[in-house]
Amino acid sequence: MGSSFRFLFALFCAVPALSLPASPYEVKESVHPPHGWVQHSAPSPSHGIELRIGLPQPNFGVLETHLYEVSDPDHHRYGQHLSKEEVEELIAPHPDSLDAVNDWLASHGIQEEDVTRSPGKDWVTLKLPVELVEKMLDTKYHVWKHTKTGDYIVRTTSYSLPIHLHEHVDVIQPTTMFGQFKPFRSTISKVEAAPATPAANSLGSLVNPATGLTIDASCNVTITVSCLQQLYNAVGFTPSAKGNSIGITGYLEEFANFADLQQFFAQQVPAAENSSFKVVSVNNGLNNQSDPGFEANLDVQFAFGISHPITPTFFTTGGSPPFIPDDDTPTDTNEPYLNWLDFILSQENIPLSISTSYGDDEQTVPEAFAKRVCADFAQLGARGTSVIFSSGDNGVGDGDSNPATQTCFTNNGRNETKFIPVFPATCPFVTSVGATDNVAPEVAVSSFFSGGGFSNYFSRPPYQDVVVPNYLKTELAPGTFEGLFNPEGRGFPDISAQGDRFEIIVGGQAFLIGGTSASSPTVNGFISLLNDVRLKSGWPALGFLNPFIYKKGFAGFTDILSGHNSGCGTPGFNVTKGWDPVTGFGTPNFGKLKELILEVTGA
Ligand SMILES: *[C@@H]1O[C@H](CO)[C@@H](O)[C@H](O)[C@H]1NC(C)=O
Ligand SMILES: *[C@@H]1O[C@H](CO)[C@@H](O)[C@H](O)[C@H]1NC(C)=O
Ligand SMILES: *[C@@H]1O[C@H](CO)[C@@H](O)[C@H](O)[C@H]1NC(C)=O
Ligand SMILES: *[C@@H]1O[C@H](CO)[C@@H](O)[C@H](O)[C@H]1NC(C)=O
Ligand SMILES: *[C@@H]1O[C@H](CO)[C@@H](O)[C@H](O)[C@H]1NC(C)=O
């Protein structure tokens, strides 16, 4: 427990009532606990909560306008990304909000030195005993237990604020946030036989009818970096621009292992042998080299294997379960990606493309919180970073591994069945990536189901205004899945990439692993190669990708024409010609995209 926490607790006990809030309390947010969470016990009064207060960003609309202009390939400002300072100015809260929140905190004995603020001052973070938080938010916390996973968290289903504060606060968490950030790896199997790589050509070759490209036949069984280079038309390309960079985020004590990467490089990317990556620790994230993680190794081996020698960084972010109910340490606080966002947005230099293979059912993340986190991703895009997320591995369904028995119950207390979209993949400011398998041709992945569908929180972004209504009108029979999804919502994924039977090294041994967890670092690698092409020609990096992809870039993706994404007891959506909510526009063709991105030159 931190010393500021002890200090505040002592203060709270000694000085129980300073000036009281000026207005009565009213409920700010109220939720139904998501399926699977049951009340367990009362937390210890001294249980530490790392409280985050999100203040409104009155000029976010201006930031959004800038973001769309600098990302629109037809706009003269294309590529003219904003500086850190410009972004911070645009997301700054109104001084009245800062004052109102400060007064309220002071009325509970909390001073400026007790809080930390995000660079834009739009988030206030402070460590407090739950007893004080309950008083400040006029609520009661409980320890909740998940019936399936056995995880514990300390949450409430409702919290209140003095009426005058409502307009000065967007969100306060952890309160109603039950979501858990989970890695999207679906299938792992150990490779018992010798690795496939040395025998890559022994099975002969295949021609992908969709692209005309020739691919080792072994790639239909095992995916290697070489397979992806062949399949996505990047054979022989070596990046050489200065100033390029690529990042992978890791959470939940998933550590990327240096020795495994060397072994992987020796087998799959000999030219990268002896090269390594930088590890950046966020929120005391560890880097335990005795504990290699499947997710972290998959992401690092493939993203950095594809993009070598572009400068690679792995972010290890601390703050994760398991949480022990009687412990006073604040370990189960917010989603760790907020810690990462705080950190990354405070940096002058941010990797130009970053992928994350984690997420959760959108409905487990309260809407106000999801919107604030999504707005943070918009900041990254405005600064010129491509933000890439996996679309999830449960098709249109929920986390129940058997698509036939998924209840897909809504979280509104009525147990209605609805398709379950995945966050952050549904955030309109990220590029979300679904999964394919087979190589000649590629199809929507069938060993699990590519996450896809429509957001219930985020309305359709302008860049989808042609494609998505067209899909709904011409590809879905009238009335199909009516009431099961929000046809006005942001459709996802945007694109896709191979997502199964990736050969990786973990703890010195070869494994095959699958999931949209594999697809997003793959896309990250190829986007990084495209950034190389842009930088070498003297143009800025690609930044927020979607406006480009939906307007021009789609021509550089190979449309996937077969498959569907089962879930909730339905076969899910079908893959169709053009964009669909299973594989988006399809998989990248680097050779074609290389040409397209050089036609987009802005002013
Ligand atoms: C690729 O593998 C799948 C099974 O995983 C098989 O159905 C398909 O026929 C194979 N494709 C080719 C071209 O061999
Ligand atoms: C990597 O280092 C080893 C040991 O120093 C050396 O034998 C090998 O040639 C190096 N490989 C490359 C690709 O530089
Ligand atoms: C590192 O991981 C190993 C293996 O899981 C574990 O035994 C060890 O305690 C960990 N070390 C630290 C510092 O967490
Ligand atoms: C919803 O389902 C859960 C678990 O099956 C059950 O406990 C609860 O009573 C149901 N609620 C309603 C309103 O049907
Ligand atoms: C998907 O395709 C199958 C076979 O053509 C068809 O029966 C089904 O209605 C389609 N589903 C949707 C959601 O369009």
Side-chain angles (χ1 to χ4, degrees):
M1 164 186 343
S3 55
S4 68
F5 169 67
R6 270 184 219 288
F7 165 75
L8 278 172
F9 186 56
L11 187 75
F12 167 60
C13 293
V15 193
L18 291 162
S19 67
L20 284 171
S23 57
Y25 273 74
E26 202 166 79
V27 172
K28 172 75 176 163
E29 186 177 55
S30 171
V31 302
H32 291 272
H35 219 61
W37 288 106
V38 292
Q39 263 187 30
H40 174 74
S41 56
S44 141
S46 60
H47 172 77
I49 299 250
E50 190 175 83
L51 204 66
R52 277 172 175 275
I53 305 169
L55 277 56
Q57 304 163 325
N59 293 320
F60 183 76
V62 181
L63 175 76
E64 196 178 354
T65 302
H66 284 292
L67 172 65
Y68 277 122
E69 287 182 4
V70 302
S71 314
D72 175 353
D74 289 334
H75 200 279
H76 68 272
R77 290 182 66 202
Y78 183 76
Q80 294 175 29
H81 302 123
L82 278 61
S83 70
K84 175 172 184 284
E85 291 68 29
E86 284 165 337
V87 166
E88 283 166 10
E89 210 176 301
L90 290 170
I91 51 133
H94 193 281
D96 290 352
S97 298
L98 286 166
D99 288 348
V101 169
N102 288 349
D103 288 351
W104 172 63
L105 293 176
S107 77
H108 289 280
I110 298 156
Q111 306 302 329
E112 186 60 29
E113 60 266 28
D114 305 323
V115 308
T116 53
R117 295 182 190 271
S118 62
K121 306 227 180 315
D122 54 328
W123 286 105
V124 181
T125 306
L126 62 168
K127 286 192 177 122
L128 298 172
V130 68
E131 188 177 22
L132 176 52
V133 177
E134 287 179 337
K135 192 167 173 270
M136 292 167 69
L137 302 180
D138 190 22
T139 186
K140 208 81 202 146
Y141 277 78
H142 282 93
V143 176
W144 294 78
K145 184 177 182 182
H146 198 276
T147 47
K148 265 204 194 127
T149 62
D151 290 343
Y152 295 97
I153 55 178
V154 175
R155 293 293 187 271
T156 174
T157 52
S158 161
Y159 70 96
S160 299
L161 284 174
I163 291 170
H164 79 276
L165 265 186
H166 281 229
E167 62 173 305
H168 298 299
V169 170
D170 269 352
V171 285
I172 300 190
Q173 292 294 348
T175 48
T176 52
M177 164 75 190
F178 284 80
Q180 291 185 301
F181 209 34
K182 295 178 288 212
F184 286 132
R185 50 178 149 75
S186 268
T187 54
I188 300 176
S189 57
K190 198 162 157 197
V191 177
E192 302 292 355
T197 324
N201 296 311
S202 63
L203 298 174
S205 57
L206 293 168
V207 174
N208 180 354
T211 57
L213 295 165
T214 301
I215 300 127
D216 293 342
S218 64
C219 300
N220 201 44
V221 181
T222 302
I223 291 292
T224 59
V225 169
S226 164
C227 288
L228 296 170
Q229 288 163 339
Q230 296 171 50
L231 195 54
Y232 299 146
N233 198 11
V235 173
F237 180 84
T238 306
S240 59
K242 293 232 174 344
N244 199 1
S245 49
I246 179 170
I248 292 288
T249 68
Y251 297 94
L252 309 180
E253 305 191 337
E254 280 270 357
F255 307 117
N257 191 273
F258 299 122
D260 286 341
L261 183 71
Q262 287 315 316
Q263 190 176 332
F264 176 84
F265 279 166
Q267 281 178 13
Q268 294 198 24
V269 197
E273 249 187 293
N274 302 337
S275 76
S276 193
F277 55 92
K278 186 164 123 190
V279 176
V280 172
S281 163
V282 178
N283 194 31
N284 305 317
L286 303 177
N287 178 21
N288 186 344
Q289 289 295 310
S290 313
D291 188 13
F294 279 90
E295 183 66 62
N297 274 10
L298 165 66
D299 294 14
V300 155
Q301 290 172 12
F302 273 87
F304 300 164
I306 292 166
S307 61
H308 175 77
I310 294 166
T311 306
T313 302
F314 177 74
F315 296 93
T316 171
T317 300
S320 67
F323 155 70
I324 300 139
D326 295 326
D327 191 344
D328 283 347
T329 343
T331 47
D332 74 317
T333 58
N334 286 286
E335 289 305 87
Y337 54 65
L338 263 188
N339 293 102
W340 180 78
L341 276 163
D342 271 359
F343 172 84
I344 200 80
L345 289 169
S346 72
Q347 303 298 300
E348 283 296 338
N349 294 308
I350 301 178
L352 296 177
S353 65
I354 301 178
S355 65
T356 302
S357 297
Y358 293 72
D360 200 356
D361 296 349
E362 187 184 70
Q363 66 169 352
T364 65
V365 183
E367 182 166 353
F369 184 67
K371 291 198 160 152
R372 277 305 292 259
V373 170
C374 182
D376 277 5
F377 292 125
Q379 295 180 50
L380 282 175
R383 288 180 59 183
T385 289
S386 302
V387 182
I388 298 158
F389 273 89
S390 309
S391 75
D393 297 348
N394 298 302
V396 295
D398 61 28
D400 186 330
S401 54
N402 179 356
T405 61
Q406 289 173 348
T407 59
C408 296
F409 280 158
T410 55
N411 202 14
N412 56 10
R414 296 199 292 270
N415 287 357
E416 294 163 335
T417 293
K418 271 200 194 321
F419 291 165
I420 309 289
V422 159
F423 182 79
T426 53
C427 167
F429 305 123
V430 310
T431 299
S432 69
V433 184
T436 61
D437 62 6
N438 295 5
V439 297
E442 289 182 81
V443 300
V445 74
S446 54
S447 63
F448 58 94
F449 293 103
S450 181
F454 298 85
S455 175
N456 291 316
Y457 290 169
F458 299 98
S459 55
R460 183 160 56 237
Y463 57 79
Q464 289 191 325
D465 268 349
V466 174
V467 156
V468 171
N470 187 57
Y471 167 83
L472 293 170
K473 209 170 103 206
T474 62
E475 304 295 347
L476 271 188
T480 311
F481 301 145
E482 201 163 279
L484 289 178
F485 72 99
N486 169 22
E488 306 301 318
R490 185 260 204 263
F492 76 106
D494 301 297
I495 53 176
S496 47
Q498 285 285 313
D500 206 9
R501 301 188 292 252
F502 278 46
E503 185 171 328
I504 62 167
I505 304 292
V506 180
Q509 293 191 310
F511 291 86
L512 293 185
I513 186 166
T516 48
S517 267
S519 311
S520 81
T522 297
V523 162
N524 191 7
F526 286 99
I527 293 300
S528 192
L529 298 187
L530 290 170
N531 275 334
D532 181 83
V533 173
R534 290 273 301 172
L535 297 178
K536 222 162 20 201
S537 302
W539 300 112
L542 290 165
F544 175 36
L545 297 166
N546 297 1
F548 164 75
I549 291 175
Y550 282 77
K551 232 177 195 176
K552 296 203 164 12
F554 65 88
F557 288 82
T558 304
D559 199 3
I560 305 303
L561 297 171
S562 165
H564 57 99
N565 58 356
S566 298
C568 310
T570 80
F573 296 105
N574 287 333
V575 164
T576 63
K577 199 160 175 358
W579 183 89
D580 54 68
V582 186
T583 54
F585 283 113
T587 58
N589 182 322
F590 174 75
K592 283 190 183 174
L593 284 164
K594 195 159 63 107
E595 307 302 321
L596 291 171
I597 56 164
L598 289 181
E599 291 165 13
V600 182
T601 53

